Amino acid sequence: MCESDHPVSVRHVFYRLTDPHLAEPVDKTEHGYKQVQHRIAEMREGGRLPYSWIADASRMGWHVATYDGPESFIRQTARSYRFDLWGDADAEVEVWVESRSIAGTLRDECERLAVSLYPCAGFASKTFAWEAAQYYSGPVAIVYVGDYDPAGLLIDVALERELRKHTEVDIDFRRVAINEGQIAEYGLPTKPRKVREKRRPEIAETVEAEAMPAPILRSLVREAIEEHLPEGALKYAALMDAEGQHFLRTFGLST
C-alpha cells in the first residue's frame, strides 16, 4: 500500500489496515495505531520501507541557505523558477486541511500545481485566517479537506466565516472530503462518536480524513484545483518553467 500510495502519513496506513476485508485487520484502537507505528519504524530502520514514503508535516525545520557568490546563487536556485500557472485562471486557489497529517499527504500535489497549502491543526486561529486573507487580490477558491465528525464539520464553517470577515473578494469555499456520501461510496472505516460529545447529535459514526485512501484524496483535490485552470495551462507552464530555468542556468554560467 505504501508503495502504490506514497507519500502517506502513519495515520493513513493505520486506517487502511483496519479494513475488515483484510485477512488480519488491525484493531481500530489506540493500541492498533501504536502497533502500526512500531511496525513502520522497524521496516524503515531495517531498510524495507523507504523513509520518503512516510509523510510527516507535523514537525518543521527552518534551513538557511548560503552561497559562495551571486553566480552560485543563480545556478543553484534556477531549478526553483516557476512560471505563473495561475495568471489567466478564473480564481486563485488554496487548499486548506484540518490536520498537518493530511497536509503531508497533499503537499507534493499542491507544490506541483503551485497552490498554497494551509494546515489548520484543528480550528484555525484568528491570526492564521487573517494573515491568509491579506494576500487575496481577486476571486479565491478554497478547497477544503477535513474529518467527518461533530468538530470537523464545524471547523470549515468557522474557517470560511473568518476568511470572509477579512476580505471583500469573492470566495468559493468547497469541502471536497470527507462528505457523508463518500463514506459509503468508498467504504471508509468509521468509528463511534465520542461519548461526551454534545454537538451534532445526528452523527453516530465518524470518519477521519486519513481514512480516505491517499490516491483518491489526491485525485479529488487535484480535480477541484484544475477546474479553475484554462485548458492547456499546465503544459504551457511546464514549457515556460523549463525555458526560464535554462535561461537562468545559462546566465549563471556566463557571469
Side-chain angles (χ1 to χ4, degrees), residues 216-238:
I216 297 176
L217 184 60
R218 282 192 283 264
S219 177
L220 291 169
V221 171
R222 180 171 58 252
E223 290 174 5
I225 293 172
E226 292 183 355
E227 285 179 8
H228 299 277
L229 283 173
E231 185 177 356
L234 282 169
K235 289 184 178 180
Y236 180 72

Side-chain angles (χ1 to χ4, degrees), residues 71-179:
E71 301 86 356
S72 172
F73 168 78
I74 294 173
R75 291 195 299 272
Q76 293 186 47
T77 58
R79 72 185 67 180
S80 65
Y81 171 78
R82 298 286 296 275
F83 179 75
D84 184 8
L85 172 63
W86 294 92
D88 295 323
D90 62 8
E92 177 186 353
V93 178
E94 293 180 347
V95 175
W96 286 74
V97 295
E98 182 174 333
S99 69
R100 295 187 177 93
S101 171
I102 291 297
T105 302
L106 297 175
R107 183 173 54 193
D108 289 350
E109 196 69 30
C110 290
E111 183 174 342
R112 184 182 72 83
L113 293 170
V115 298
S116 298
L117 173 63
Y118 292 91
C120 294
F123 283 90
S125 72
K126 292 182 180 296
T127 300
F128 193 34
W130 175 82
E131 288 178 342
Q134 302 315 296
Y135 290 97
Y136 299 162
S137 57
V140 179
I142 305 292
V143 177
Y144 183 82
V145 176
D147 297 342
Y148 184 84
D149 60 26
L153 292 172
L154 292 175
I155 289 174
D156 54 331
V157 174
L159 171 63
E160 181 178 2
R161 182 176 62 245
E162 286 298 317
L163 291 175
R164 292 187 185 279
K165 186 187 300 182
H166 302 298
T167 184
E168 298 295 326
V169 306
D170 291 334
I171 297 180
D172 174 21
F173 198 103
R174 177 181 172 190
R175 182 187 180 100
V176 299
I178 303 293
N179 297 315

Side-chain angles (χ1 to χ4, degrees), residues 40-55:
I40 286 176
E42 283 189 328
M43 293 177 71
R44 297 173 94 186
E45 291 169 4
R48 292 184 290 157
L49 184 65
Y51 275 81
S52 62
W53 287 4
I54 303 299

